[in-house]
Amino acid sequence: EAQVTQNPRYLITVTGKKLTVTCSQNMNHEYMSWYRQDPGLGLRQIYYSMNVEVTDKGDVPEGYKVSRKEKRNFPLILESPSPNQTSLYFCASSLLGSASYEQYFGPGTRLTVT
Amino acid sequence: GENVEQHPSTLSVQEGDSAVIKCTYSDSASNYFPWYKQELGKRPQLIIDIRSNVGEKKDQRIAVTLNKTAKHFSLHITETQPEDSAVYFCAASSYNTDKLIFGTGTRLQVFP
């Protein structure tokens, strides 16, 4: 089944404790991206990658890191999480190396930082 | 920077009525305008999109119109049904940044 998977789906952590949210797609998509969703603010792009070893900042990259060593995986790393990073996070992928195609979203990861 | 404004933030309609959601964008290089629907507790899913070389696109009960001069695009849903109740997001991307900028969302409620 073609899909985007994220793990974990729910995470409660404490300020400063490094964490990684994994994202994987099995559709051979070139473009992958991370978004955070907050009430009243919609979806905001954190980082995106047009292909392996190519990443770039979205609108809200502060406090996050990403890597794209393999085409299928695009992990999101929070080196020192803070309470303002409490949010719902979505990974997404699209076929070609551009934002101008349908984004296929993962199921979301709800992160709480206390 | 690039910005997409979306209105209204909430919209309530009677079943069978039409619903219209409007977005404006700031980057004149934007050339792709998708609309996503997010049901409660679910992931966003694409329902329709339009590119800058087209003025209007329809798919059954939904349509999108684009006015490049005004930097404005709209989603039109006709004959609304309760299952259309969801949050709708517009978005825009341009060929020179590869970012996807979303609007803040519209919560549509369709009452039977």
Side-chain angles (χ1 to χ4, degrees):
Chain A
E1 181 191 351
Q3 59 183 342
V4 179
T5 56
Q6 295 178 227
N7 282 292
R9 296 287 314 280
Y10 302 90
L11 179 60
I12 301 173
T13 190
V14 296
T15 299
K17 186 177 181 182
K18 181 180 179 180
L19 67 92
T20 299
V21 184
T22 64
C23 174
S24 184
Q25 51 92 6
N26 62 0
M27 297 172 280
N28 202 36
H29 283 177
E30 292 185 0
Y31 187 95
M32 296 187 75
S33 185
W34 277 102
Y35 300 89
R36 60 177 290 173
Q37 182 174 14
D38 302 288
L41 298 177
L43 292 153
R44 294 180 293 167
Q45 194 171 40
I46 303 171
Y47 270 95
Y48 61 95
S49 168
M50 289 183 284
N51 215 325
V52 177
E53 303 291 1
V54 180
T55 63
D56 211 341
K57 296 177 181 178
D59 275 350
V60 288
E62 296 80 17
Y64 304 95
K65 284 176 58 177
V66 293
S67 68
R68 187 93 182 274
K69 295 185 172 58
E70 305 166 281
K71 199 171 187 179
R72 62 184 294 129
N73 296 322
F74 190 45
L76 180 70
I77 302 156
L78 285 71
E79 296 263 356
S80 183
S82 63
N84 64 11
Q85 292 178 299
T86 292
S87 188
L88 177 59
Y89 291 86
F90 286 101
C91 179
S93 70
S94 68
L95 179 60
L96 299 178
S98 166
S100 298
Y101 296 92
E102 178 177 2
Q103 303 283 306
Y104 292 84
F105 283 84
T109 295
R110 187 165 294 281
L111 172 66
T112 302
V113 183
T114 62
Chain B
E2 306 92 337
N3 186 47
V4 175
E5 293 190 2
Q6 182 172 349
H7 298 282
S9 57
T10 60
L11 180 59
S12 295
V13 301
Q14 205 74 31
E15 182 178 0
D17 288 349
S18 295
V20 179
I21 303 170
K22 299 181 179 182
C23 291
T24 57
Y25 59 97
S26 61
D27 185 358
S28 56
S30 296
N31 63 342
Y32 176 66
F33 307 92
W35 286 88
Y36 285 82
K37 176 184 180 181
Q38 186 179 28
E39 296 176 352
L40 190 62
K42 302 282 184 65
R43 69 194 79 187
Q45 290 190 296
L46 181 76
I47 55 171
I48 195 167
D49 56 11
I50 192 168
R51 296 188 185 275
S52 58
N53 58 345
V54 175
E56 183 175 359
K57 185 176 179 181
K58 288 183 181 178
D59 183 3
Q60 298 183 342
R61 293 187 298 109
I62 61 173
V64 56
T65 58
L66 171 64
N67 182 331
K68 286 187 292 182
T69 303
K71 294 185 196 171
H72 174 273
F73 59 113
S74 300
L75 178 71
H76 303 254
I77 306 174
T78 59
E79 300 173 25
T80 53
Q81 300 167 3
E83 51 264 40
D84 294 329
S85 296
V87 178
Y88 292 81
F89 292 98
C90 63
S93 74
S94 71
Y95 55 81
N96 59 359
T97 68
D98 274 315
K99 291 183 183 179
L100 188 60
I101 309 296
F102 281 85
T104 50
T106 296
R107 181 173 299 279
L108 173 65
Q109 289 184 297
V110 181
F111 292 98

